[in-house]
Amino acid sequence: MPEQRQLKNNTNRRYHGVFHRIDRDFQFHSLWDRLQGGPLGTPFQSPCFLNAFSNTIAPHTCSEFNICEVRDIETSSTVALIPFVIARRGPVRIASLPDFGLADQAAPVFAHDFPVQETDFQDIWCVFADNLHGADLIDIDKIPSHIGLQRNPLFQDAHSEPSAGMFYLDLSDDHRWLNKKVFKNIRLKERKLSEAGVEFVQTQDPHACLRLFEELRDQRRRRFHLAGRPNSLESRQGFADFYRYMASHASPEGAVTTFCLRKGDDIISSYLALANDAVFNGVLISIGSEEWHRYSPGMVLTKKLIDWCTGKGIRTFCFGTGHQEYKRRFGGSLMSMQRIVQPLTGMGKAYLMIRHLHKIAQKNLGPDLKGLPEDDLPAAAT
């Protein structure tokens, strides 16, 4: 029986909560199925992402991994799920949504048929934050303004501050992006690839997804080695295991899906993505042997993915992390994102003060004190 902890309800009379402790065998769908009308969330808080995280990342990095289930007291309906981990940064215990460089978006998961107003969300958030007794600080980054077509109430939180954005295409925007010159050039190369016998393949079969991930990883390893670029897929602990686990557990009901341009057994370009019925988010992309590079297979595959999303009725196409120029060429706009940093204890307040002083030092002393370089996932599709 999964471990549960009923949460105290000091002042909130509308909602109450339960913390579910997550282990490797936790059945995430048992919670997601309680959301009336289905879940409203990003692909990075989906069961397939969280299942891979709990089996590959959490055991080595987190002291706790839980889901806060928030219920309406009057109806007993589940209205929100907030997955979170607690990890140490020095002496400070930090609560965040599962990420560690793997998630591009962060948001609670809501019940589709139980819309939450921003004023109500403050009560939901208090059920979560007021019971985080094992944490000094809440730190959640990459919070998008919308979850699908709905406003993300976490984006408006009083503790939020601007964060780095991400490029996306609004596929409901009268297809004005199709007028970009890049699409004319890509269509020409797409036709030449088709004439050469290259086909576009999409799959959620776990065996096929795993094979394609291993091919993508090998392509990426060779390409980054030749370019002399750091490869975070190999250098960051658990990253390759995470994606391998997620690919090997793909299913038609899940968020992970893979794509490629293929001629026979030759993989010319490959792509791993997370998607739901509203949002597509690119995660990993790579291209194959040199002989195909003149056809810009990464660009052609990206265009194919946009076509695929349009056919599926997906409204938002996210290019993934990084501000590579090709995303602008496709007509991408910068999606606003926020970061919440909320102290819960004196230690958390002291940490924030040190963080503030460090920002001042960065501003006044120049680039020598800048933080880690921007993550390179996914790689530029050149």
Side-chain angles (χ1 to χ4, degrees):
M1 178 70 66
E3 184 178 345
Q4 301 180 8
R5 176 163 67 89
Q6 297 289 331
L7 306 185
K8 292 182 179 180
N9 183 12
N10 297 325
T11 59
N12 192 331
R13 297 186 178 181
R14 180 170 183 184
Y15 302 107
H16 70 101
V18 178
F19 276 0
H20 300 267
R21 184 174 292 277
I22 307 304
D23 58 25
R24 293 174 185 267
D25 299 320
F26 188 83
Q27 299 298 308
F28 290 93
H29 285 287
S30 66
L31 285 181
W32 266 247
D33 288 346
R34 298 178 189 177
L35 297 167
Q36 295 182 17
L40 177 65
T42 89
F44 296 94
Q45 288 76 52
S46 63
C48 78
F49 182 95
L50 297 174
N51 188 32
F53 191 93
S54 68
N55 278 272
T56 61
I57 304 297
H60 311 293
T61 57
C62 308
S63 59
E64 292 187 33
F65 183 9
N66 298 279
I67 293 176
C68 176
E69 178 189 7
V70 182
R71 300 170 182 167
D72 183 279
I73 291 177
E74 183 176 338
T75 66
S76 297
S77 299
T78 300
V79 298
L81 300 171
I82 305 174
F84 70 96
V85 297
I86 297 178
R88 284 189 173 272
R89 191 174 302 167
V92 185
R93 302 164 300 173
I94 298 178
S96 63
L97 270 63
D99 185 352
F100 291 91
L102 292 162
D104 291 351
Q105 300 184 53
V109 184
F110 298 104
H112 201 280
D113 288 352
F114 204 112
V116 174
Q117 304 299 320
E118 291 174 13
T119 52
D120 294 334
F121 180 71
Q122 293 306 313
D123 291 336
I124 291 174
W125 188 250
C126 285
V127 172
F128 166 64
D130 290 352
N131 286 278
L132 279 176
H133 304 309
D136 300 302
L137 185 78
I138 297 173
D139 188 353
I140 302 175
D141 201 2
K142 295 174 282 191
I143 302 169
S145 60
H146 287 74
I147 307 171
L149 299 180
Q150 304 294 323
R151 287 167 60 90
N152 180 5
L154 192 59
F155 185 85
Q156 309 295 331
D157 189 271
H159 296 92
S160 67
E161 59 188 41
S163 182
M166 177 173 61
F167 279 100
Y168 77 104
L169 273 179
D170 181 357
L171 301 184
S172 64
D173 191 20
D174 298 326
H175 294 183
R176 284 181 290 181
W177 36 269
L178 280 173
N179 296 324
K180 290 284 184 177
K181 181 180 178 181
V182 67
F183 282 95
K184 179 179 179 180
N185 296 334
I186 291 174
R187 280 192 287 270
L188 177 61
K189 294 181 178 181
E190 180 183 10
R191 185 165 62 249
K192 290 182 178 180
L193 285 172
S194 178
E195 292 169 353
V198 174
E199 60 177 339
F200 171 72
V201 178
Q202 177 268 334
T203 184
Q204 289 183 295
D205 174 79
H207 300 291
C209 286
L210 180 58
R211 287 195 301 270
L212 191 60
F213 166 71
E214 296 295 357
E215 178 67 24
L216 183 154
R217 182 185 181 188
D218 189 54
Q219 290 177 350
R220 184 183 174 93
R221 188 187 297 117
R222 293 196 304 268
R223 183 170 170 82
F224 278 53
H225 176 73
L226 291 173
R229 293 177 55 191
N231 184 358
S232 57
L233 182 59
E234 305 300 332
S235 62
R236 295 192 177 184
Q237 182 183 9
F239 268 40
D241 290 339
F242 171 83
Y243 289 116
R244 183 187 296 110
Y245 188 97
M246 196 162 58
S248 66
H249 289 75
S251 71
E253 299 79 26
V256 64
T257 186
T258 58
F259 307 82
C260 70
L261 295 177
R262 182 180 70 190
K263 182 177 182 181
D265 294 330
D266 189 5
I267 303 298
I268 297 163
S269 183
S270 51
Y271 204 105
L272 186 147
L274 290 169
N276 56 30
D277 58 0
V279 178
F280 176 100
N281 205 113
V283 177
L284 292 170
I285 184 171
S286 191
I287 60 177
S289 58
E290 186 77 26
E291 64 178 293
W292 298 103
H293 289 189
R294 66 183 183 274
Y295 298 110
S296 302
M299 299 289 278
V300 172
L301 181 54
T302 300
K303 185 262 183 188
K304 289 278 194 182
L305 297 175
I306 294 171
D307 292 343
W308 182 85
C309 289
T310 302
K312 292 286 185 181
I314 294 173
R315 308 287 290 272
T316 304
F317 182 95
C318 299
F319 289 94
T321 58
H323 291 180
Q324 294 91 348
E325 179 59 29
Y326 82 92
K327 299 173 183 180
R328 296 180 187 273
R329 291 168 59 195
F330 272 104
S333 302
L334 196 60
M335 177 187 295
S336 297
M337 290 193 169
Q338 294 286 97
R339 179 179 184 176
I340 286 177
V341 186
Q342 179 180 346
L344 303 173
T345 66
M347 177 70 78
K349 292 177 181 177
Y351 176 86
L352 277 190
M353 179 62 70
I354 294 171
R355 180 173 173 263
H356 177 67
L357 293 174
H358 182 66
K359 283 187 174 182
I360 294 174
Q362 283 184 339
K363 181 178 180 180
N364 294 335
L365 299 181
D368 290 342
L369 290 180
K370 295 295 184 184
L372 293 174
E374 180 183 32
D375 183 31
D376 58 11
L377 292 177
T382 56

